[in-house]
Structure formats: C-alpha cells, structure tokens
Amino acid sequence: WRIARGLLLETVSLAAIGGALGLAFAYGALGILRRLGPATLPRLHEVSLDWQSVALAAGASLLAGFVLGAIPALRVAGRRVVAGLHGGARGASGGRRQHRAQGVLVVVQVALALVLLVSSGLMIRTFQALRDVDPGFANAGELQTVRVAIPAAVEPDPARVIRMQNDIVDAFEAMPGSSAAFLTAMPLEGRDADWDVIDVQGGQSFLNAAEAPIRRFHYTSPGMLRTTGTRLVAGRDIEWADIYDDRPVAMVSENLALELWGSPDAALGKRIAPARATADGRIWREVVGVVQNVRDNGLSAPAPTIVYWPAFMRGFYAFENVTVRRSMTFVVRSELAGTQALVAQMQQAVWSVNRDLPLAAVRTMQEIYDESLARPSFTLVMLAAAAAAALVLGVVGVYGVLGYVIAPRRREIAIRLALGAQRREVTRRFVRYGVALACVGVALGLGAALGVTRLMGSLLFGVQPVDALTYVAVAVSLTVVAAFASWLPARRASAVDPAEALAIE
C-alpha cells in the first residue's frame, strides 16, 4: 500500500502540473483569440479566465489524476510478490493486458479527434457556404443604416409624415457622394415585419380561407433598390410620382412571382391586394417590378416571399384611410459608412427637417451582416479549438504509446539488428503497429461522427451531415498524422547501436 500511495501521488502530481500548464496555455490562447479572433464572435473581448474557470480546470485535473492513478495503484497493491517478480524478468516488455490497455487509449483518442475534426470541417464548409449566399444587398461596408421615428406628437398629420421622410432622404442625398432611401427594415436586421395574405385579381382569393399562405409586407420609398444594391429582376422601381399621385402600384419578390405566375415577366401588370381589404372597397395594385429574393430571416433561412408596397397609400385597408409607417430604417450608401463624421452629417441632415428627431440604431450593414454570422462563427471557433486539442492528444497518444512499447524492447531490437535485420524493416514494423491503432480509431470515429453530425443539422447550411468529402479528407489526414507520430519513435528505435544496447544488458 505504501508503493500504491506513491504511485497515486505521482499521478496526481503529474495531473496537477498538466492542469497548471493547461491554464497557462489557455491564458495565452485567449489573448491571441481576442486580438485575432473574428469580429463576428459575440462579446469576444469579455471572455476571460475567472476564478470559476480556474477552479473547474484544477478540479478536473486533480480528479483525472486521482481516477487514472487509482487503477494501477490498486493493481500494484493487490499483486502477489512472486507474480510481480516473474512479470519483471529480464527482457520482459509488458503483458498482453498492458499493451491492450495502451492500444485502447490510443484508439479512443484518435476516434474522439476524428469526431471533432469532422464536426469542425462541416462547420468550416457551412461558414463558407453562408459567405457565398447573396443576402439581397451589395457592398455592405458602404451602407449606413439609422432608425428615424416621427411620432404623432411631432407630426399628427399622416400625409405630412411621408413629406418629412422624403425631405430626410433629400437631405441625405445632398451629402457628397451619397444616395439614400428608407423601408420598413433592412435585410437581416431582425425587426418585426408585417405579414398578411394577398389576393390576386382574377386568380387566388383568400377572403374566407382559414389557412392561407402569408406574405411579408415591406413599405418602401423610391430609390431603395438603387441604394441597397438589390437587383431588379423585371419591371421598374416605385417612383415618388406613384406615391404623390396615389397610383396603385406594388413590387414583389422573385420567388413570389414564380409561385403565382410562373416567371418574373409574367408578374408584370398583374394586380394584387391584401386579403383583409373588403371585397367592395379594395384597391387592386398593379405589379410594376420584380425584385431579387432577399434573405430577410437570416442567411441560412429561405428567402421569404415579399410584397413591396409604397411607403404611403390611401385606401390600402378598409379600416385605414391612410397607410404610413412612422418608424422606418433609413439607409445611406457612402464611402464614409461606419465613420463618426458620416453619422454627424446624417444627424444634421435630419435636424434640418425637424430638430426633435433623433437617430436610433446607428449601424452599418456590415455590422448587421457580421451579427447574422455570429452563431456559426462561435460554433466554428469552439469546434476548431476542441478539434485541435483532440488532434494533439491523439498524436501524443500514438507517439507516447509507441515510445513506451519500444523502450523495453531495445534488447530485442538490438538482437534483430545484430542478426542482420534491416533498420528500415524494424521501422516499418512499428509504424504499421501505430497506423493499425490509428485505423481502428478512425473506423470507430467515423461511426461515432455519423451519429454526432446528424445532431448538428440545425447548425449546417449548404452541406449535408454525412458529407463524403469532409469525412474522407479528415480520415486520410488523421491517418497520415498518426503515421508520422508512429515514425518518430520507430526511427529512434531502429537507430540503436546493437553492440551498445547488448553491452548494457
């Protein structure tokens, strides 16, 4: 028991030292992550090692040392002296049970590394697929957005509200090199939108339908497409003359045009109206333009079907004489987007219309776009860090086990070399052993990854949970790395001098 206690103390001490080194490494890695990490990671600069993190790491290290140290300590404490002396005979290299336990440890480490590497690879491909998605606007870094509300206390007349919003747009466009517009909310902004059912003149009618497809409603000003870079697929944009002359016009998204009429060109000239408008007093509005699909709900979500109505309409709903939205998102395209100078100019432009109107939600579209990638970015970084740690553990495991297996067999290797065995064949023998362990771990890891990645379905985009390219690339890469980790101790073993090794024996 005294020997067992010594072994247990040694293992716990090693675990404590490893935990301390791990904390030091984590502290340095966090500093690097804060400096070089992606801007899309939420609250990145608030991440730190607090006392709870340190206590958790220290407790985990000591617990691992105690549990792993108790197993050999108990075996030593219960072993008979005679059996121990026979097992330690000259030239013995460990029993089959010991080698099996070491092999199982390597297999588990490699399997865990493969699962995490596959998960990380799928997230990398997801992130790349999201970056390739067309969100429905162009050059996000040049788009400055602000929220301006005109409450009834400032202007009670709805007809005057649209005039003030038009004046604000004109004031924004008077700034050098700027274009401006406004709409209910920008894509990816995450604001509540209007949803309703539409009727098509001479076609679909949902006046009495309990379950009808709802469409997203956006109320927009002229120039929105030009300013945001949203592509016009067919027809024309809404114009100020449409608003002030009370022309019944509208625009629809491309997916809505395909659903209802089969093509964007076929949608032009068709007439639509909200289903909630009474049949007697409804005003049918002509579709004058078809707009590209916009990812309003997020880059990974399907683009909703959208109807773009003029920002000011009369008789839109039977219960509203005038339809106007008092709180709108104004967007300005400028090379100065994101600078305090542009925000100051925009505030002065709004004050030139009314001194009581403040700017709210001042953000660039690049910031909104980056926020939409926050979740996959965070998951990607966490999985990549875990995968890197698991890969290191797997490589160290293969290297350590082979080094431990080879060390007691120096005499055997020396005899083989003295009898004429080729050093290359000795190296290959141990490399094959390490690769065999890695291949078993890879096979088990592939099976585990098939189950784990299916649970990641909600995080993936543009890639299937069972992606052959990712699985094959990770399996081959991990096997190659394991082969290299096996080659290092095998090469050192084959380089032994037979005469020197036998003289020591």
Side-chain angles (χ1 to χ4, degrees):
W1 279 106
R2 185 178 300 171
I3 295 174
R5 287 196 300 270
L7 290 174
L8 183 61
L9 179 62
E10 178 183 354
T11 307
V12 172
S13 300
L14 287 173
I17 295 173
L21 292 175
L23 284 171
F25 177 79
Y27 181 81
L30 277 178
I32 296 174
L33 179 64
R34 282 194 292 266
R35 288 194 300 270
L36 305 178
T40 54
L41 280 183
R43 303 171 65 183
L44 175 62
H45 296 286
E46 300 179 26
V47 181
S48 62
L49 279 178
D50 55 11
W51 69 268
Q52 294 169 317
S53 304
V54 174
L56 177 63
S61 300
L62 294 177
L63 179 62
F66 180 81
V67 171
L68 297 178
I71 298 174
L74 292 174
R75 289 180 57 196
V76 169
R79 181 177 294 176
R80 291 185 304 168
V81 175
V82 175
L85 291 176
H86 279 297
R90 189 168 72 101
S93 58
R96 181 177 300 176
R97 180 186 299 177
Q98 183 179 7
H99 288 165
R100 187 184 300 120
Q102 295 165 353
V104 168
L105 183 61
V106 172
V107 168
V108 171
Q109 289 174 330
V110 171
L112 176 61
L114 186 134
V115 172
L116 291 173
L117 286 170
V118 167
S119 302
S120 181
L122 291 177
M123 284 307 302
I124 291 174
R125 297 197 63 187
T126 291
F127 193 77
Q128 185 58 50
L130 289 173
R131 300 285 293 187
D132 293 339
V133 168
D134 186 353
F137 52 84
N139 301 324
E142 297 180 358
L143 295 176
Q144 182 72 56
T145 69
V146 296
R147 196 78 177 172
V148 179
I150 305 176
V154 174
E155 180 51 66
D157 183 6
R160 280 290 305 157
V161 171
I162 189 63
R163 291 284 182 180
M164 293 178 65
Q165 292 170 337
N166 189 358
D167 292 341
I168 292 173
V169 169
D170 291 341
F172 285 159
E173 292 193 328
M175 298 184 302
S178 299
S179 63
F182 63 87
L183 69 163
T184 313
M186 285 293 289
L188 310 178
E189 197 174 358
R191 295 189 177 276
D192 292 336
D194 287 356
W195 295 86
D196 207 340
V197 180
I198 63 168
D199 283 350
V200 178
Q201 188 178 36
Q204 292 177 316
S205 179
F206 297 105
L207 279 175
N208 300 316
E211 296 181 1
I214 59 174
R215 318 296 183 179
R216 174 163 291 186
F217 284 6
H218 271 311
Y219 302 91
T220 181
S221 74
M224 182 270 293
L225 303 181
R226 169 176 50 85
T227 300
T228 61
T230 305
R231 183 166 43 87
L232 184 65
V233 178
R236 65 174 178 86
D237 194 356
I238 295 173
E239 301 172 352
W240 284 111
D242 296 327
I243 293 177
Y244 292 128
D245 294 344
D246 199 20
R247 299 173 184 170
V249 297
M251 297 189 299
V252 298
S253 60
E254 184 177 7
N255 51 2
L256 181 56
L258 292 174
E259 176 188 335
L260 296 180
W261 300 290
S263 70
D265 290 331
L268 300 179
K270 299 298 189 295
R271 296 181 180 275
I272 59 176
R276 283 195 295 164
T278 61
D280 295 335
R282 76 171 58 202
I283 298 177
W284 294 102
R285 299 186 177 272
E286 180 184 352
V287 176
V288 297
V290 177
V291 180
Q292 76 168 103
N293 297 332
V294 176
R295 302 274 179 163
D296 258 21
N297 297 330
L299 295 173
S300 60
T305 53
I306 303 176
V307 181
Y308 297 89
W309 306 106
F312 179 85
M313 293 175 289
R314 296 185 185 276
F316 183 62
Y317 285 123
F319 51 84
E320 287 182 351
N321 182 36
V322 173
T323 298
V324 67
R325 292 296 178 267
R326 292 180 173 272
S327 180
M328 302 290 271
T329 295
F330 286 78
V331 56
V332 174
R333 180 173 293 278
S334 171
E335 295 181 354
L336 300 177
T339 65
Q340 202 59 38
L342 179 63
V343 175
Q345 292 181 47
M346 294 175 67
Q347 181 66 84
Q348 291 298 325
V350 172
W351 283 346
S352 69
V353 177
N354 189 295
R355 297 290 299 181
D356 296 327
L357 300 180
L359 301 184
V362 180
R363 295 186 295 175
T364 65
M365 278 306 299
Q366 189 63 54
E367 293 172 340
I368 296 174
Y369 179 81
D370 290 342
E371 287 178 7
S372 70
L373 292 175
R375 184 188 182 199
S377 295
F378 180 79
T379 307
L380 172 61
V381 171
M382 293 301 101
L383 281 176
L391 178 62
V392 171
L393 286 175
V395 171
V396 170
V398 173
Y399 178 86
V401 166
L402 282 179
Y404 190 78
V405 169
I406 291 172
R409 300 177 66 177
R410 287 172 56 87
R411 180 171 177 270
E412 173 193 338
I413 295 172
I415 293 175
R416 288 178 179 274
L417 294 175
L419 293 177
Q422 297 295 317
R423 297 182 186 274
R424 184 178 302 174
E425 178 57 32
V426 173
T427 302
R428 277 202 297 263
R429 180 177 182 181
F430 287 107
V431 170
R432 282 197 298 268
Y433 177 70
V435 172
L437 290 178
C439 288
V440 174
V442 166
L444 294 178
L446 287 174
L450 288 174
V452 172
T453 54
R454 290 184 185 277
L455 301 177
M456 297 175 56
S458 62
L459 297 174
L460 302 180
F461 175 80
V463 60
Q464 295 298 320
V466 183
D467 181 67
L469 178 61
T470 302
Y471 279 69
V472 171
V474 170
V476 172
S477 301
L478 190 56
T479 304
V480 171
V481 171
F484 180 74
S486 305
W487 175 78
L488 291 176
R491 179 175 177 272
R492 188 172 64 249
S494 64
V496 65
D497 184 0
E500 181 182 349
L502 293 175
I504 294 176
E505 289 290 336

